[in-house]
Amino acid sequence: RALTVDLTAFQIPWDNMQVQTVWNGTFPAINNIGSAEVRGAELGFKTLLPWNFTLMINATYAVSKTEESFDSSEGFIEKGTILPLAPRWTGSTVLSWNDQWGNFALNGSLGASYQGDSKNNFGNTLPIDALTTYSASFGIIGVKWRYAPTLNFSITNLTNERAMLAGVVSRDETANSDIYVPAQPRTISISAGISF
């Protein structure tokens, strides 16, 4: 088919859910938050373009909230509080290409991925900003050669975006510091292989 569109609405109830946080600003802790619910919608779009190109777009909107109040290592959490590490908007798009040139099959892609801002914990002590990253890849396969040799080249985080994916504010008697998980820096990969 030249065009495919998928639209999905979802409602996911969670019982006896657990969320990892930090107790006293220093020690990892597991909070039993009871019930939670995720509601949202997802849109998927795929179309064939001229010159052997294909475009795919996906977008998701989701609201993740607690369904009951509870006491946690961060204090009392009200019903309806947004869950940590749960951005409302996420999405991706990929433009891919496939062709054959003589004895070789060629493929390539350009992609972008987006995640909206979110909370690092229930108190949102270290807000996580929205992040967009880009990727690219190219591959060649000797389809008519013995063992079908392949060569692949890829780059992730093409623009080398610096961002935090998760983090906590650590506060104790000896030090005050922010501890965070960074996004993977720009990574270039080259691989080769054969099939037999």
Side-chain angles (χ1 to χ4, degrees):
R1 297 180 180 179
L3 175 64
T4 302
V5 178
D6 293 314
L7 178 62
T8 304
F10 54 85
Q11 178 180 359
I12 307 173
W14 293 89
D15 292 322
N16 303 316
M17 190 175 188
Q18 295 181 322
V19 173
Q20 182 171 339
T21 57
V22 175
W23 178 75
N24 199 27
T26 304
F27 305 104
I30 299 295
N31 281 316
N32 297 302
I33 71 172
S35 61
E37 187 175 70
V38 182
R39 294 183 180 182
E42 182 175 11
L43 175 65
F45 172 90
K46 179 180 179 180
T47 184
L48 301 179
L49 301 175
W51 304 297
N52 300 314
F53 283 96
T54 300
L55 177 65
M56 293 184 291
I57 299 174
N58 291 283
T60 301
Y61 176 81
V63 179
S64 308
K65 295 183 178 181
T66 60
E67 285 294 292
E68 57 186 88
S69 302
F70 63 96
D71 289 311
S72 78
S73 58
E74 300 177 45
F76 184 74
I77 306 299
E78 295 281 357
K79 175 183 177 180
T81 301
I82 296 295
L83 296 180
L85 304 178
R88 293 198 176 210
W89 287 101
T90 57
S92 64
T93 181
V94 177
L95 178 65
S96 59
W97 169 78
N98 290 276
D99 204 350
Q100 185 157 342
W101 182 60
N103 296 329
F104 299 97
L106 310 176
N107 63 82
S109 68
L110 292 172
S113 178
Y114 170 83
Q115 68 174 38
D117 54 4
S118 61
K119 301 161 54 174
N120 72 312
N121 55 21
F122 286 107
N124 201 23
T125 55
L126 202 60
I128 300 173
D129 295 331
L131 172 65
T132 301
T133 57
Y134 303 91
S135 61
S137 68
F138 177 78
I140 182 170
I141 306 173
V143 291
K144 296 184 179 180
W145 289 21
R146 188 179 184 184
Y147 303 126
T150 64
L151 180 65
N152 295 290
F153 174 82
S154 65
I155 306 176
T156 57
N157 196 0
L158 190 63
T159 56
N160 203 29
E161 293 294 324
R162 304 297 179 91
M164 177 181 68
L165 300 181
V168 296
V169 178
S170 178
R171 299 289 183 262
D172 57 33
E173 297 178 354
T174 60
N176 293 334
S177 61
D178 297 339
I179 304 171
Y180 65 93
V181 178
Q184 179 179 330
R186 181 191 296 121
T187 303
I188 300 175
S189 301
I190 300 176
S191 63
I194 58 174
S195 300
F196 57 90

